[in-house]
Amino acid sequence: MSDVTLETAAAKVPEAAPRSPPASQIGLLAWLRTNLFSSWLNSAVTLLIAYLVVRWTIGFVEWGIVNAVWSVPDNQTQACRDLKGIGACWAVITEKHRFILFGTYPYEEHWRPALCVLLFVGLYTVSAMRRFWRKELALVWVATLTAIGVLMWGGILGLPYVPQERWGGLVITLILATFGLALAFPLAVLVALGRRSRLPAIKALCVLYVELIRGVPLISLLFMASVMFPLFLPEGMNIDKLLRAQIAIILFAGAYLAEVVRGGLQALPKGQYEAAEALGLSYWQKTGFIILPQALRLVIPPLVNTFIGFFKDTSLVLIIGIFDLLTAGKTAIIEPAWQGFGVEVYLTVGAIYFVFCFAMSKYSQSLEAELNRHRNR
Amino acid sequence: MSETLEYVASAARPDAPPAILLDKVNKWFGAMHVLRDVSLNVAVGERVVVCGPSGSGKSTTIRCINRLETHQEGRIVVDGIELSDDIRALDAIRREVGMVFQSFNLFPHLTILENCTLAPIWVRRMPKREAEELAMEYLTRVRIPEQAKKYPGQLSGGQQQRVAIARALCMKPKIMLFDEPTSALDPEMIKEVLDTMVGLAETGMTMICVTHEMGFARQVADRVVFMDRGEIVEMGTPAQVFENPQTDRLKLFLSQILRGH
């Protein structure tokens, strides 16, 4: 009955042809007018900011490129000092880049950490592509990480042994961050699930872990790992300093990530749990097929936020004397000839951190869009 | 009409062991007594409609049957298995009992087809191909096979609820529970879901359905159960319950329902 009425009503009104929006509402000029020059005050602010941006850009180009010194012969830094700050001394990077990237690793063996960095980057790239998201990827990880261990330590396959104390630079940062997050993430998922467990003992243990670790600064955990932990070990037994720092970072990141994951678990409607249970799925089937895939998608932004934070927090290992990227950079300019060129070194180190963090950020955005496509109508 | 009734009467076999037995079931939420001595026998092939005002315990009752809620006193026996803390008994029961929810509860990150095949593949250990064929068969029966590759968010409410019914049926359950399946739907979509349920009733499925759709109750129910404040107040054929209510509570409820329609 109602259908008939609707149809006749629709027939009487001819369908209006779609029109384009008015010309004053589209195009570059309209955008400029509404966003940058909508009033006298806005126009003034726009012009002022444009002036500052142009001036600083010119200033930076002059300092960083036009007036810069790119190399100096054999530690003769007088040419750099003569600039008196009007140009950058990139010679410090030319001279010290191997130290910044590889620390005190034996010079003639630098190809080994360099290869490790490439392996890490390749591993990230492969893992980022969804078409490689298969069970075999876990094997690729194990194989790559083993290869990196062999390359760094050596002692077999004709590679000279290099003690861990001599490792340094970018490869240390990547080792700490990769192992740290790769192990902290599964730990975090288990802890987050445990915090919602019906079994009181498991729940209490997980709450205790998260609250204890979160209540302590990472620096004090690193100190504990470096100074206190060996005191509890029997005499003669020693665990590698890097490994101890690595464990501290895993435990710390795990506690933070666990809370992020728990947020996702709590955001899921109760009906999803009930529907899975009503279908007879077991706890792990329910968790693996229904709960985690949805919960983790929901928390991609805070998850990547935490990932990026921890990538940079690995630089805190400097306080227990591990030569990560930042520490190596800092140490590179201790030499009297190169003192005073911190800006150039820190800009370079900062740029390296930025490349990794920005890549993570961009990747998470595309992943989020792709994985949440089902939510679009 | 009389034909349907005859069919219904022959489908229910009161002499067979009950599909579901509730014996003096009691439940509390904290200090609140939400189920009071609820006793109900549902025969194999029987169709029971449970109605009552909101908060009367009707949803809680059927959620106790597949243990989405636990009861604290009394006995619940489903398909010959008594509900207890034994997880294996619970798994066995949940395999045989399908449930359809008010809010559909489809899995939004899986396609319609994946929604329907997940449990048969992992719980029934059915080969993937077979599960997909079965799913397409049931999706055809609820008249939406063409939506199989879409995600739940792309479907209307009525279509989602029909998928939810197909998903439950793919487990080949012996018993189906419906928890207000049409309450979250727009009026024009209620009919398509009810039609699907009528079609299911005609296959002889044992059904317990919490609903306010009196037309549906009259058409398919062998028995109507009226609940109020956690207890079963009246029980009988649709004609007895709707035309000849014995208690003031049922009379009040029926007058409110009828005014609403």
mmCIF file of all heavy atoms in Angstrom, chain B residues 98 107 147 205 211:
data_model
loop_
_atom_site.group_PDB
_atom_site.id
_atom_site.type_symbol
_atom_site.label_atom_id
_atom_site.label_comp_id
_atom_site.label_asym_id
_atom_site.label_seq_id
_atom_site.Cartn_x
_atom_site.Cartn_y
_atom_site.Cartn_z
ATOM 1 N N GLY B 98 22.049 -23.255 18.077
ATOM 2 C CA GLY B 98 22.354 -22.026 17.365
ATOM 3 C C GLY B 98 21.661 -20.853 18.032
ATOM 4 O O GLY B 98 20.622 -21.021 18.670
ATOM 5 N N PHE B 107 30.397 -10.851 12.471
ATOM 6 C CA PHE B 107 31.788 -10.440 12.649
ATOM 7 C C PHE B 107 32.132 -9.441 11.541
ATOM 8 O O PHE B 107 32.250 -9.826 10.372
ATOM 9 C CB PHE B 107 32.712 -11.652 12.607
ATOM 10 C CG PHE B 107 32.309 -12.715 13.594
ATOM 11 C CD1 PHE B 107 32.149 -14.034 13.209
ATOM 12 C CD2 PHE B 107 32.073 -12.382 14.929
ATOM 13 C CE1 PHE B 107 31.768 -15.006 14.121
ATOM 14 C CE2 PHE B 107 31.693 -13.350 15.850
ATOM 15 C CZ PHE B 107 31.535 -14.665 15.435
ATOM 16 N N GLN B 147 25.110 -11.748 -1.785
ATOM 17 C CA GLN B 147 25.865 -10.862 -0.892
ATOM 18 C C GLN B 147 27.081 -11.555 -0.277
ATOM 19 O O GLN B 147 27.757 -10.976 0.573
ATOM 20 C CB GLN B 147 24.970 -10.362 0.257
ATOM 21 C CG GLN B 147 23.598 -9.896 -0.170
ATOM 22 C CD GLN B 147 23.631 -8.492 -0.737
ATOM 23 O OE1 GLN B 147 24.700 -7.956 -1.010
ATOM 24 N NE2 GLN B 147 22.464 -7.905 -0.932
ATOM 25 N N MET B 205 12.404 -27.571 12.911
ATOM 26 C CA MET B 205 13.469 -27.206 13.852
ATOM 27 C C MET B 205 12.884 -26.921 15.234
ATOM 28 O O MET B 205 11.818 -26.329 15.345
ATOM 29 C CB MET B 205 14.172 -25.962 13.311
ATOM 30 C CG MET B 205 15.217 -25.345 14.220
ATOM 31 S SD MET B 205 16.682 -26.353 14.350
ATOM 32 C CE MET B 205 17.493 -25.980 12.815
ATOM 33 N N THR B 211 10.177 -12.958 21.548
ATOM 34 C CA THR B 211 9.733 -11.932 20.594
ATOM 35 C C THR B 211 8.428 -11.318 21.058
ATOM 36 O O THR B 211 7.703 -11.887 21.874
ATOM 37 C CB THR B 211 9.562 -12.525 19.181
ATOM 38 O OG1 THR B 211 9.207 -11.480 18.284
ATOM 39 C CG2 THR B 211 8.498 -13.601 19.139
#
